[in-house]
Amino acid sequence: MSIRRFVRGTVPWDQLEAVASEVGERYGQEAVRVEFLDADNWLSTPCVMNERWFVKVVTGQNALVHALFTGARNLGAFSSGTEGFFEPFDGPVEMAEHELEATRKLRALGLNAPRPVEAFEVDGLGVLVLEYLPEFEPLDALPPDEVESHLPELFEALAVMHANGVAHGDLRGENVLVYEGDLYFIDATNVAEDGLAGARAYDLASALAALEPLVGEKAVVEAALEHYDPGGEQSRTRSENATALLEAEDFLSFVQVRPDHTFDATALNGEIEKAASADEHASR
Ligand SMILES: Nc1ncnc2c1ncn2[C@@H]1O[C@H](COP(=O)(O)OP(=O)(O)O)[C@@H](O)[C@H]1O
Ligand SMILES: [Mg+2]
């Protein structure tokens, strides 16, 4: 554990100590060893306790930053004529609870996510406890050919979420973990039911934006056309999937607003337009 990492975090020592001792008390641990993860600490302070629990500590400041991001997304939703689609997060505890709920929903759909344990409050901080995955590679750390080999599974999983009233909300390479050859979805957000259509398009736009720098616009658009089938059961054709891509295209500029996405929007837009018009010609 690095002291520097600890200091850089936004949670003061004594508060983190209080969280660790609460975890120890809840799970009958005499001592709790805390390791901090190499993360940006924008939205939470993630740590591992006794190599068993993955614990995310959410401060009021984290919740505020999250609300700002959510605002940008909702702005996108408003300007494209729909209501705001991500649930308003009013505080750190609610943020932890929402992520717990979202993780449960993903697993209920048969998708992989760390086993949810619980969410609670310590001194006004939100605390989320999940199963700790000891070994994984984030998708964006893999070589391009390996990333490409996971694209069918990724777009199929996204379609399963979207066909069942769930959206992820923060699809990025580092939020998709490859563990024992399977994809695990982490860091999910709860989406307001009435905003689901917008959230789906935003999710698809985020996935395209995250993958374009890794495998190129052609491979990612082709994989989405082939495997993103939110109608379920192959009910959709490539042509309908192309329509979903066009809907996602409207959200690319809002994804670009985020500091944690860097991608070639022009290349992606061009490739989506090409796919949509090829499809139009084919269906004539
Ligand atoms: N269950 C887990 N087990 C082990 N490591 C995890 C687990 N969940 C997330 N991580 C690691 O911690 C990082 C931060 O977690 P994440 O849930 O994405 O939090 P944040 O909201 O700060 O982005 C992830 O990018 C991943 O590397
Ligand atoms: Mg994350």
Side-chain angles (χ1 to χ4, degrees), residues 132-149:
Y132 169 57
L133 303 176
E135 278 167 34
F136 62 80
E137 291 262 33
L139 190 62
D140 58 359
L142 297 178
D145 57 328
E146 276 185 54
V147 175
E148 216 171 317
S149 75

Side-chain angles (χ1 to χ4, degrees), residues 37-48 52-58 62 66 95 99 113-115 128-138 140 170 172-177 184-188 260:
L37 293 169
D38 199 8
D40 279 344
N41 292 347
W42 279 65
L43 298 174
S44 70
T45 299
C47 49
V48 180
R52 263 179 79 181
W53 296 280
F54 176 75
V55 180
K56 260 167 99 162
V57 183
V58 186
N62 292 150
H66 194 280
M95 235 177 105
E99 190 173 334
R115 193 172 53 80
L128 169 69
V129 184
L130 304 172
E131 159 197 21
Y132 169 57
L133 303 176
E135 278 167 34
F136 62 80
E137 291 262 33
D140 58 359
D170 191 10
R172 282 185 288 135
E174 63 157 67
N175 286 337
V176 180
L177 309 182
Y184 278 67
F185 295 89
I186 61 162
D187 212 1
D260 43 14

Side-chain angles (χ1 to χ4, degrees), residues 64-233:
L64 183 64
V65 171
H66 194 280
L68 292 173
F69 278 156
T70 312
R73 286 180 233 170
N74 288 339
L75 184 68
F78 281 122
S79 69
S80 59
T82 46
E83 289 297 307
F85 48 82
F86 288 92
E87 305 237 328
F89 287 91
D90 24 25
V93 184
E94 288 81 1
M95 235 177 105
E97 282 166 353
H98 279 131
E99 190 173 334
L100 183 78
E101 194 52 36
T103 308
R104 284 191 177 135
K105 283 186 186 167
L106 293 182
R107 286 171 59 98
L109 293 176
L111 301 173
N112 300 314
R115 193 172 53 80
V117 180
E118 59 177 332
F120 51 86
E121 186 200 323
V122 174
D123 282 355
L125 300 168
V127 181
L128 169 69
V129 184
L130 304 172
E131 159 197 21
Y132 169 57
L133 303 176
E135 278 167 34
F136 62 80
E137 291 262 33
L139 190 62
D140 58 359
L142 297 178
D145 57 328
E146 276 185 54
V147 175
E148 216 171 317
S149 75
H150 289 291
L151 294 185
E153 189 189 348
L154 190 140
F155 283 109
E156 277 158 22
L158 200 56
V160 168
M161 291 179 212
H162 292 174
N164 290 283
V166 177
H168 183 280
D170 191 10
L171 268 168
R172 282 185 288 135
E174 63 157 67
N175 286 337
V176 180
L177 309 182
V178 182
Y179 178 54
E180 295 178 343
D182 293 318
L183 298 184
Y184 278 67
F185 295 89
I186 61 162
D187 212 1
T189 315
N190 227 1
V191 174
E193 298 246 323
D194 56 356
L196 192 68
R200 283 177 181 157
Y202 180 85
D203 257 3
L204 186 54
S206 302
L208 296 171
L211 293 162
E212 181 276 332
L214 304 176
V215 298
E217 72 278 7
K218 286 191 170 43
V220 70
V221 169
E222 177 54 32
L225 265 180
E226 202 51 44
H227 301 283
Y228 176 74
D229 183 14
E233 303 292 325

